[in-house]
Amino acid sequence: MSAPLLQVSNLNIDYEVSKAGSWRKHTLTVVKDVSFHIGAGETYGLVGESGSGKSTIGKAILRLADVTQGRVLFDGTDISTFGKNTPLSYRSDVQAVFQDPIASQNPRHTVGRSVTDALKRHGIGDAARRHRRAVEAFEQVGLREGHLERYPSQLSGGQLQRVSIARALVLEPRLLVCDEALSALDLSTQSQIIDLLDRLQTEMGMSYLFIAHDLAVVRHISHRIGVLKKGVLVEQGDAEQVFSHPEHEYTRALLAATPASHPRDRRRQATLAA
Ligand SMILES: Nc1ncnc2c1ncn2[C@@H]1O[C@H](COP(=O)(O)OP(=O)(O)OP(=O)(O)O)[C@@H](O)[C@H]1O
Ligand SMILES: [Mg+2]
């Protein structure tokens, strides 16, 4: 078997926090000895209750959080060897889509510009080429050329999330970190974006780290799953296996607290019940 695209080994992440009413700082270990890998073209779902450390792991991979101990290897390279300046190639290979599509756009720029600016930062093409690439990416995510001229306030949440995905796509990433990327969207938009991510993975062979608290969505989209409890990966394995035969009590409790199906079916159920 060839080496995985991403290999996270024995990852530990500490935060220094001050206690209320005190100047003293103490160390909080929020990620503890976490190891997992993601293969090319594979989706790894990371689940766990709020505060369990999911986003912190995503941030470490994106180099937005410092690693205290352990290693993150991307395509065989230890990312800690990059030092302070993350190479442009890594910044295009690893892209992210976050929960709040409005916060991730500049309200004063058209959404088309947010995409062409991303290309410009990476030194890709001239203005005409960048515009053409933005149009292509918008079409890939189901938006039209006319949407490029809109400001963020002139688009719906689902359309804006498509813009975020288009902006990530133009850089042709090999790994997309989706951190609660669907959580702010209604069920119908969620299922459209899930189908889009599925299609893009088939077409482009991208890998996803899919972080979400909605287990039904994670189950649908992931090949493998990791279950995080207070910074510890208590269970991981094939998605269907983990969902149908959870080994850890915590996984069973998470599953018991979740609606069962894909958003598309839940939407259908909601319509039937109305
Ligand atoms: N910059 C920071 N400084 C100190 N503590 C932090 C910082 N960022 C996160 N934490 C703490 O680390 C823990 C893990 O946070 P994280 O954001 O990774 O959780 P999460 O699993 O993504 O939760 P959610 O599902 O609510 O998004 C929490 O206890 C949080 O309070
Ligand atoms: Mg989070």
Side-chain angles (χ1 to χ4, degrees):
M1 199 186 102
S2 59
L5 182 66
L6 182 85
Q7 174 78 57
V8 173
S9 308
N10 310 106
L11 187 69
N12 285 269
I13 298 174
D14 293 347
Y15 283 123
E16 295 290 318
V17 287
S18 34
K19 277 203 170 128
S22 160
W23 50 268
R24 279 222 204 134
K25 297 224 163 182
H26 73 285
T27 304
L28 199 66
T29 303
V30 299
V31 174
K32 298 168 194 156
D33 205 26
V34 164
S35 301
F36 66 95
H37 67 271
I38 310 180
E42 186 179 44
T43 301
Y44 187 87
L46 196 54
V47 299
E49 63 196 339
S50 181
S52 56
K54 305 181 296 293
S55 296
T56 304
I57 292 174
K59 284 181 188 163
I61 295 164
L62 293 160
R63 309 208 78 213
L64 301 171
D66 289 334
V67 170
T68 311
Q69 255 183 57
R71 291 202 309 174
V72 177
L73 296 187
F74 183 79
D75 202 14
T77 302
D78 184 342
I79 67 170
S80 71
T81 61
F82 293 154
K84 276 209 160 37
N85 296 319
T86 308
L88 264 186
S89 62
Y90 188 75
R91 286 200 269 145
S92 56
D93 278 344
V94 183
Q95 287 288 307
V97 179
F98 296 106
Q99 175 167 7
D100 185 352
I102 295 176
S104 50
Q105 298 289 330
N106 184 332
R108 290 185 298 277
H109 290 171
T110 63
V111 292
R113 179 164 167 196
S114 86
V115 177
T116 51
D117 277 359
L119 289 166
K120 198 172 174 184
R121 269 197 302 280
H122 286 263
I124 298 168
D126 55 15
R129 173 80 196 98
R130 290 196 285 266
H131 179 77
R132 277 200 308 278
R133 185 66 193 98
V135 173
E136 271 168 30
F138 267 45
E139 285 169 356
Q140 252 180 316
V141 300
L143 294 169
R144 291 186 311 277
E145 183 169 357
H147 287 122
L148 265 86
E149 299 310 318
R150 304 253 190 111
Y151 287 87
S153 61
Q154 298 170 324
L155 290 175
S156 72
Q159 287 169 331
L160 270 178
Q161 201 56 304
R162 284 165 196 269
V163 172
S164 304
I165 295 170
R167 184 176 55 189
L169 283 183
V170 288
L171 298 169
E172 299 179 6
R174 297 165 72 191
L175 173 67
L176 190 62
V177 176
C178 297
D179 189 350
E180 302 286 3
L182 308 181
S183 310
L185 306 175
D186 61 62
L187 291 180
S188 136
T189 315
Q190 274 189 15
S191 75
Q192 286 170 24
I193 304 260
I194 289 172
D195 293 344
L196 168 67
L197 291 173
D198 269 346
R199 184 167 57 76
L200 292 172
Q201 188 167 55
T202 311
E203 285 170 7
M204 301 169 67
M206 258 190 295
S207 306
Y208 298 136
L209 172 60
F210 197 85
I211 298 171
H213 64 265
D214 187 329
L215 273 75
V217 172
V218 177
R219 178 180 196 159
H220 175 81
I221 206 163
S222 307
H223 301 108
R224 281 184 308 115
I225 297 224
V227 182
L228 204 60
K229 179 188 181 188
K230 294 184 181 160
V232 177
L233 209 49
V234 292
E235 178 164 1
Q236 65 176 323
D238 174 78
E240 271 319 305
Q241 180 69 26
V242 171
F243 275 98
S244 47
H245 301 288
E247 280 182 5
H248 201 284
E249 195 186 328
Y250 177 73
T251 312
R252 284 196 285 274
L254 277 182
L255 281 169
T258 205
S261 55
H262 185 286
R264 183 175 46 230
D265 304 326
R266 258 191 259 161
R267 182 160 49 101
R268 223 173 268 145
Q269 283 163 6
T271 319
L272 289 175

